[in-house]
Amino acid sequence: MTADAARRVRRPSTGPGSLLEVAVGEFIARGYDATSMEDLSRAAGITKSSFYHHFTGKEALLRAALERALSRLFAILDEPGATAGSPVQRLRHIVRGQVAVLTEDLPYVTLLLRVRGNTETERWALEQRRAFDTRVAAIVREAVEQGEVRADVDPALAARLLSGLVNSVVEWFRPGRSGAAELPDEVARVAFEGLLPAAR
Amino acid sequence: MTADAARRVRRPSTGPGSLLEVAVGEFIARGYDATSMEDLSRAAGITKSSFYHHFTGKEALLRAALERALSRLFAILDEPGATAGSPVQRLRHIVRGQVAVLTEDLPYVTLLLRVRGNTETERWALEQRRAFDTRVAAIVREAVEQGEVRADVDPALAARLLSGLVNSVVEWFRPGRSGAAELPDEVARVAFEGLLPAAR
């Protein structure tokens, strides 16, 4: 996203929810390290002290944004569809759920996927991402052991490619895009059945 | 990659090739916007004026790095395997080639994939990436038209997911990882045949 695109449609916002949204937009447009509290107050159209009324600072905003993305992603793992059924059925449920969260909470997930580990909060988020990926990888391994997933691909690699395929959607998905409702199923189909037709 | 990891094994380097390598490491670790010519000279163990002897500045370094990644990626599209054969054969060749370039020139491709369009050079690189993706998408469309790729996934989406799957390898691949030689074939297999076993 260009800086200009992220900054359009900016109105004064004072509630913690809308301040968070403004901050996430600025973090994505400028990069977290390059964004100052001045930038954030200007973008939100409020004074710095009003901003500090809601958040102790930049890192608290980052943490709140990353918590939102992570809590939605982890919630998928506890849904009945992710805990009952064959490993592949559970994986399909998780992939569809991830794509849905990603399209609904696009800026928050985008920020999460850009985290590089330069602050304590970023390192915490990286750990959480790893924990999520480890839980998915364990189900991929189960699927391989039960013969549901092809045995000629290393389970760790399969889990990583699955995660990469799903997460890449943030690179091009834009809210309001037609076909968003079908996207979770389409991504799951490509991930599990590949690009080649079923009959070959 | 953490800043520390990117900065280890740093010796004084004076040739333009090794200066470029040092600069790419710093850009990845600190972010391009946050890296100064001071940071780069310190990391390379030379004076700023020695640095300017080889490169006019930070953006020239970025451009040289991105050109290296892009020229290797575009070269794949002109290889015989990418120009002759059925669309799916050509796509498989391109995917294998992309994974090979990505593992061989990991920092350069990583930098290319992080470009967000904040400078003229970054916008040029984004255009080049789009041009590459457009050429691949045209072959995916051919493959769908010829019935080689499943018709129940939109060709534009298929091309994007293919690109996302391949590019996600930069997120976890590290040089020296065992199995690197098999990686291009494994990624192509997952992309085209999916995670489910062939017989189902």
Side-chain angles (χ1 to χ4, degrees):
Chain A
M1 193 185 318
T2 63
D4 280 354
R7 281 189 212 107
R8 72 193 164 201
V9 197
R10 205 37 64 74
R11 300 158 282 127
S13 325
T14 48
S18 51
L19 287 182
L20 189 59
E21 205 179 308
V22 168
V24 169
E26 293 295 304
F27 291 158
I28 292 172
R30 299 170 185 267
Y32 173 72
D33 292 327
T35 308
S36 66
M37 283 300 278
E38 278 80 5
D39 294 328
L40 296 181
S41 338
R42 201 178 312 115
I46 61 171
T47 64
K48 269 216 295 184
S49 67
S50 310
F51 220 122
Y52 281 112
H53 179 68
H54 295 291
F55 294 96
T56 56
K58 204 172 87 158
E59 195 156 353
L61 280 155
L62 180 66
R63 178 135 192 152
L66 298 175
E67 267 170 1
R68 169 159 162 175
L70 285 163
S71 68
R72 288 209 58 192
L73 289 170
F74 273 98
I76 301 166
L77 301 180
D78 296 327
E79 287 168 1
T83 52
S86 80
V88 162
Q89 285 170 336
R90 284 146 59 203
L91 287 172
R92 275 183 184 270
H93 178 87
I94 294 167
V95 166
R96 283 194 302 256
Q98 281 181 279
V99 175
V101 166
L102 197 151
T103 55
E104 288 158 19
D105 261 349
L106 181 68
Y108 298 87
V109 180
T110 301
L111 194 61
L112 176 66
L113 296 177
R114 292 218 190 142
V115 151
R116 299 288 163 213
N118 292 330
T119 64
E120 202 190 316
T121 297
E122 289 179 90
R123 285 187 288 275
W124 162 81
L126 280 180
E127 258 169 49
Q128 295 295 306
R129 276 190 62 188
R130 270 194 292 270
F132 184 91
D133 289 346
T134 301
R135 285 181 63 181
V136 175
I139 309 176
V140 172
R141 196 161 296 112
E142 262 186 79
V144 173
E145 281 160 11
Q146 299 188 18
E148 279 197 302
V149 158
R150 56 193 317 128
D152 55 357
V153 170
D154 167 46
L157 174 65
R160 279 165 164 162
L161 292 176
L162 188 59
S163 157
L165 181 80
V166 169
N167 290 335
S168 72
V169 173
V170 304
E171 297 296 332
W172 52 265
F173 181 81
R174 292 299 165 259
R177 179 184 178 275
S178 74
E182 293 78 42
L183 197 59
D185 281 332
E186 288 188 303
V187 173
R189 207 179 297 141
V190 172
F192 293 97
E193 288 152 39
L195 289 175
L196 297 182
R200 55 183 185 268
Chain B
M1 189 182 324
T2 63
D4 280 356
R7 279 188 214 108
R8 69 190 171 206
V9 197
R10 207 35 65 77
R11 301 158 279 127
S13 325
T14 49
S18 50
L19 287 182
L20 189 59
E21 205 178 308
V22 168
V24 169
E26 294 295 304
F27 292 158
I28 291 172
R30 299 169 185 269
Y32 173 72
D33 292 326
T35 307
S36 67
M37 283 300 279
E38 278 80 4
D39 295 327
L40 295 181
S41 341
R42 201 178 313 115
I46 61 172
T47 63
K48 269 216 297 184
S49 68
S50 310
F51 220 121
Y52 282 112
H53 178 68
H54 295 291
F55 292 95
T56 54
K58 206 171 84 158
E59 195 157 352
L61 281 154
L62 180 66
R63 178 135 191 152
L66 298 175
E67 267 171 1
R68 169 159 162 175
L70 284 164
S71 70
R72 288 209 57 194
L73 289 170
F74 274 97
I76 300 166
L77 301 181
D78 297 327
E79 288 168 1
T83 51
S86 80
V88 162
Q89 285 170 337
R90 285 146 58 202
L91 286 172
R92 275 184 185 269
H93 178 89
I94 294 167
V95 166
R96 284 193 302 256
Q98 280 181 280
V99 175
V101 166
L102 196 152
T103 57
E104 288 157 20
D105 261 348
L106 182 67
Y108 298 86
V109 181
T110 301
L111 194 61
L112 176 66
L113 296 177
R114 292 217 189 144
V115 151
R116 299 288 163 211
N118 292 329
T119 65
E120 201 189 318
T121 297
E122 289 179 89
R123 284 186 288 275
W124 163 81
L126 281 180
E127 258 169 49
Q128 295 294 305
R129 276 190 61 189
R130 270 195 291 270
F132 184 92
D133 288 346
T134 301
R135 286 183 62 180
V136 175
I139 310 177
V140 172
R141 197 159 296 113
E142 262 186 79
V144 173
E145 281 161 8
Q146 299 189 17
E148 278 197 302
V149 157
R150 56 192 318 127
D152 55 356
V153 170
D154 167 46
L157 175 66
R160 279 166 164 160
L161 292 175
L162 188 60
S163 157
L165 181 80
V166 168
N167 290 335
S168 73
V169 173
V170 304
E171 296 297 330
W172 51 265
F173 180 81
R174 293 298 166 258
R177 178 184 179 275
S178 75
E182 293 78 41
L183 197 57
D185 281 332
E186 289 189 301
V187 173
R189 209 178 296 139
V190 172
F192 292 97
E193 287 150 42
L195 289 174
L196 298 181
R200 55 183 184 266

